[in-house]
Amino acid sequence: MHYSNSEFPWIHIETFDFDRGVPQTVVGALLVDLRDADFNDPTEQGNLKGRDGKDPDVVSHVMASRMTFTKLNQIAGQATALLDFNAASNFVLRILVGDHGDRPRAVVVGDALTEIFKGRGIPAEVEHHHLVPQEDRPVTQTGTADQAVMDDATREAVRAFYRLHQATAAAVADPFHSGAQETLSNAAHEANAAMGEAGLLNRPPHEVIALVRQEFPHYDPTGGLGCQKGDAR
């Protein structure tokens, strides 16, 4: 499969705490839910409490979990399959790794996946939400007090983006429906072209989401991800 020639990462990984909300995203992201996953939990070890997922002892504890590398390879395989689909439109694949509490396991898993992808020649980057207490902030709040005035190209791009959102949701709900994948592929190409024409492809996700919500106030950027569980079990 031919991937994007862009110098930017093809995979963007984000770690987060479900208690603080799922990060802003479009549908089609891969959710890894560690809340009930069989990974050693450092928060249950007295000498590891209060340490974050960058601490060497925490990393060793999590990586010593039973079947760790099997599970990481399974997640990496799912991500690679999605990346193959996204490559046709040069879309960056987003992987959301969520846990609860102090979420050190999510940080460890996010960093490990990043290294796995890089080792396979796939450019990847990782972002840790709320890594330290002073950085705590809600990650599900979007929008701006002053709504931007959209020109015709931007409005059409926003509408194409929303049609892609709807097509993706329909394909996920009924993946075996006749024509679902073709509709999704067409919507992806249309959205990619329209967003490129409007200069939105490299805009931060929260800015794009704010624009979509101007046209579609009830747009849910999480695509219901917060309701899903068990992806990493």
Side-chain angles (χ1 to χ4, degrees):
M1 173 62 68
H2 173 70
Y3 297 121
S4 168
N5 291 320
S6 169
E7 61 183 10
F8 299 103
W10 301 338
I11 296 179
H12 181 76
I13 301 171
E14 296 179 46
T15 67
F16 68 97
D17 178 5
F18 274 100
D19 296 335
R20 292 179 172 86
V22 180
Q24 305 161 356
T25 186
V26 297
V27 294
L30 175 62
L31 177 67
V32 179
D33 187 344
L34 298 179
R35 287 175 291 184
D36 294 324
D38 188 21
F39 282 96
N40 295 337
D41 190 349
T43 63
E44 296 178 355
Q45 299 294 315
N47 64 321
L48 297 179
K49 284 185 177 180
R51 303 195 202 181
D52 65 39
K54 293 291 189 180
D55 186 288
D57 291 334
V58 171
V59 174
S60 296
H61 184 69
V62 175
M63 295 300 288
S65 305
R66 180 176 175 271
M67 302 292 286
T68 295
F69 294 100
T70 297
K71 292 180 180 179
L72 288 174
N73 279 321
Q74 181 184 42
I75 296 169
Q78 293 173 333
T80 302
L82 285 174
L83 184 62
D84 287 344
F85 179 80
N86 286 7
S89 300
N90 285 341
F91 288 156
V92 174
L93 172 63
R94 299 184 71 199
I95 302 177
L96 307 180
V97 183
D99 201 358
H100 58 72
D102 294 330
R103 82 221 152 269
R105 294 185 300 182
V107 173
V108 174
V109 170
D111 285 342
L113 288 172
T114 302
E115 293 306 311
I116 288 174
F117 292 126
K118 288 181 178 179
R120 296 180 181 182
I122 302 175
E125 64 181 359
V126 63
E127 174 184 2
H128 301 298
H129 291 288
H130 314 116
L131 180 60
V132 292
Q134 58 264 35
E135 292 180 352
D136 281 358
R137 62 193 183 280
V139 295
T140 55
Q141 299 302 314
T142 64
T144 177
D146 300 315
Q147 292 188 332
V149 177
M150 288 188 280
D151 57 26
D152 290 341
T154 300
R155 181 170 288 103
E156 179 52 39
V158 165
R159 291 174 177 174
F161 181 93
Y162 188 73
R163 287 193 290 272
L164 173 60
H165 171 88
Q166 291 179 305
T168 305
V172 170
D174 188 4
F176 300 107
H177 184 274
S178 177
Q181 292 303 317
E182 181 179 359
T183 298
L184 178 57
S185 179
N186 291 338
H189 284 290
E190 178 189 22
N192 189 56
M195 291 183 71
E197 180 69 23
L200 296 181
L201 286 178
N202 294 321
R203 293 278 290 276
H206 72 274
E207 293 184 11
V208 176
I209 289 171
L211 289 170
V212 176
R213 281 182 167 164
Q214 284 185 229
E215 285 287 291
F216 307 97
H218 301 296
Y219 166 65
D220 174 14
T222 70
L225 287 178
C227 299
Q228 299 180 15
K229 294 199 64 175
D231 293 54
R233 293 181 195 177

